[in-house]
Every structure is written in structure tokens, then in C-alpha cells.
Amino acid sequence: GVDAGDPVLSLKTANNAMIAANTPQTVEGTASDSGGLISLVRYAIDSGDLTGAAETWWFVDTAKNGDKANTITIEGSAFTDTITAAGIGDTDGRRRYIATDVYGNTSTLDFIYSVDSFVPVIKVDPSVTFANDEWRASKTQKVQVLVNDTGADGNKRSSGITNVKYVIDPVSANQETIKEGTDLAIGASRDSDGTTSGNRVYNIYSTTFDFADDGIHSIYAGTWDSVGNYRQIGPITYKIDTTPPK
């Protein structure tokens, strides 16, 4: 028979993606051809230049794939690849896929990605008067933090802040607990944290809340970016005494 065209390669995963450093990212795609596919070649690249060694997977004789199926799996015309990229700053990463059919025709498709290796910064806003050893005569209090996700000079790849949350007196102060906490509302931005020089831009997140009772309380706050990088602070101690002396 005569093959009328080249294989068709497509991605199910959105291209030009931003991924977290050292975290597996799944890339899903399909390769199809009316005459039948033989192979899929992947260039394993972690920088913008296509200088990496080529690796080949097989559509028909999948036994040839052996242990390599741990990083690419092929089922029918679908393939799944896994990328685990180191933090590569502002350089784009690229995977190139080349499908070949039984007649030797080829098609090429690139998956482009960038790596967000910067963990957001979160700190207590020093402009809000606060002292851990200060007793307060009201259960209504305010928590205010500064959050930055672009580095000291604003030149880090940033996937963007998605959540800033806080919890009061948690049994366990970890990421999963804080994820179930209460949102802090974003406000204005400022170009300093009030204690250091530089042009790091912080967004202010804050809220006012009421403690249920008197006593010594602990606040923890955490922030996430779009690819899952996370940082938390705490405990921030509040001492509440609303009981008048007798």
C-alpha cells in the first residue's frame, strides 16, 4: 500500500506549562498514522537547547521498551511521559517527540516548559504593631503578612500566588492543616518589608478575626504558588485577657 501522509502528533497536556522544580510533571499525547506507527523518539532535554541524547520507544513491539516504560508508557496510540526538572532559572525546558510510521515518514512536536523553583516568601508585617509578650484586652485581633513570589530583584520565574491561609491553635501546624484554614485577603503592595533594603515587592494579606476565649493563642500562616511551592510561618503568639480585675 501507499502511505498518504506523515504521522499526526498531538498533546493532551497544555503546552508552554510552568512546573515545580524536582516534582514529576506528566505529559500526555497521542501519535496516529493510517499506515501504522513504529516508534516514538524522545529527546530528554532540561534546557532550551536540543542537545540531549535521543531515546526510542516502540508502538508495536512494546517488549522492546523494557524498563524505559517507567518514564514513557505507550498504550495504543497514546503516550505518557514524565518530566522531573531541576530549577533552571529563567531558561525554558523542552522535550522533543518524533513519531515514525512504517514507511519512514516522521512528525515532530515540542513540549515547552519553564520551571518555578522559587519558594514564596511570607513574613509578619512589621508595620503592624505587634509584640509576642504583649497582653491584649480584646478578642478582636488582626493578622497581617507580607508575601513575595518573584525574588529579591523581581526576576524569578513565578507561577503566581494562589492561596494565603491561616489557622488558630492547630493541633498540628503542617501544610495540610493550614490548607484547610481561613483565607487572608490581598490588599496593597509595598516595595520593602520595612526591615531590609532592596526592591522586592510584597503583597499585603490580612484579616480581622475574633478569638473564642481568653488565653495564649498561636497563629500559623502559609502560602502556595500555582505549581505547589509552599512556605509557612508561625507560631505568632497572641495573649488575650478580656477579664477585668476584681
Side-chain angles (χ1 to χ4, degrees):
V2 177
D3 188 2
D6 296 333
V8 177
L9 270 170
S10 63
L11 290 174
K12 293 182 178 179
T13 303
N15 214 333
N16 298 302
M18 182 168 282
I19 65 176
N22 305 308
T23 302
Q25 163 75 35
T26 298
V27 180
E28 294 182 305
T30 59
S32 59
D33 186 83
S34 59
L37 291 161
I38 295 179
S39 66
L40 178 73
V41 176
R42 181 194 73 180
Y43 284 86
I45 311 299
D46 282 333
S47 66
D49 297 326
L50 288 166
T51 56
E55 300 176 81
T56 303
W57 281 260
W58 304 91
F59 285 100
V60 179
D61 189 358
T62 55
K64 291 183 180 180
N65 296 331
D67 292 339
K68 291 193 297 183
N70 293 326
T71 50
I72 279 191
T73 57
I74 289 177
E75 183 175 350
S77 63
F79 67 89
T80 302
D81 190 11
T82 302
I83 297 174
T84 303
I88 55 176
D90 291 335
T91 303
D92 285 329
R94 176 162 42 167
R95 288 286 176 96
R96 172 162 290 177
Y97 304 99
I98 303 174
T100 304
D101 68 17
V102 295
Y103 295 94
N105 299 315
T106 62
S107 290
T108 300
L109 181 63
D110 285 358
F111 175 72
I112 306 295
Y113 62 92
S114 55
V115 180
D116 181 357
S117 59
F118 184 73
V119 179
V121 174
I122 180 171
K123 56 180 63 179
V124 175
D125 186 352
S127 70
V128 178
T129 302
F130 187 86
N132 277 348
D133 59 353
E134 174 188 351
W135 284 93
R136 300 172 180 231
S138 173
K139 293 178 181 177
T140 301
Q141 296 295 325
K142 183 178 185 179
V143 59
Q144 183 161 305
V145 298
L146 304 176
V147 177
N148 169 273
D149 193 38
T150 57
D153 299 314
N155 60 357
K156 298 289 186 182
R157 281 280 172 90
S158 170
S159 56
I161 296 297
T162 56
N163 296 102
V164 182
K165 293 176 176 282
Y166 77 99
V167 292
I168 302 173
D169 297 330
V171 175
S172 178
N174 54 41
Q175 181 175 174
E176 292 306 312
T177 301
I178 296 175
K179 186 180 292 185
E180 300 300 319
T182 303
D183 288 310
L184 291 169
I186 189 171
S189 62
R190 108 174 25 141
D191 60 4
S192 171
D193 64 2
T195 61
T196 60
S197 59
N199 60 349
R200 184 188 296 251
V201 176
Y202 292 91
N203 286 318
I204 301 170
Y205 289 81
S206 64
T207 194
T208 300
F209 59 92
D210 292 318
F211 286 107
D213 49 36
D214 288 358
I216 300 175
H217 301 278
S218 296
I219 298 286
Y220 292 82
T223 182
W224 295 259
D225 64 20
S226 294
V227 299
N229 293 316
Y230 170 76
R231 195 189 301 269
Q232 72 180 54
I233 55 171
I236 309 166
T237 303
Y238 290 76
K239 296 182 176 181
I240 307 300
D241 183 2
T242 61
T243 305
K246 296 179 180 180

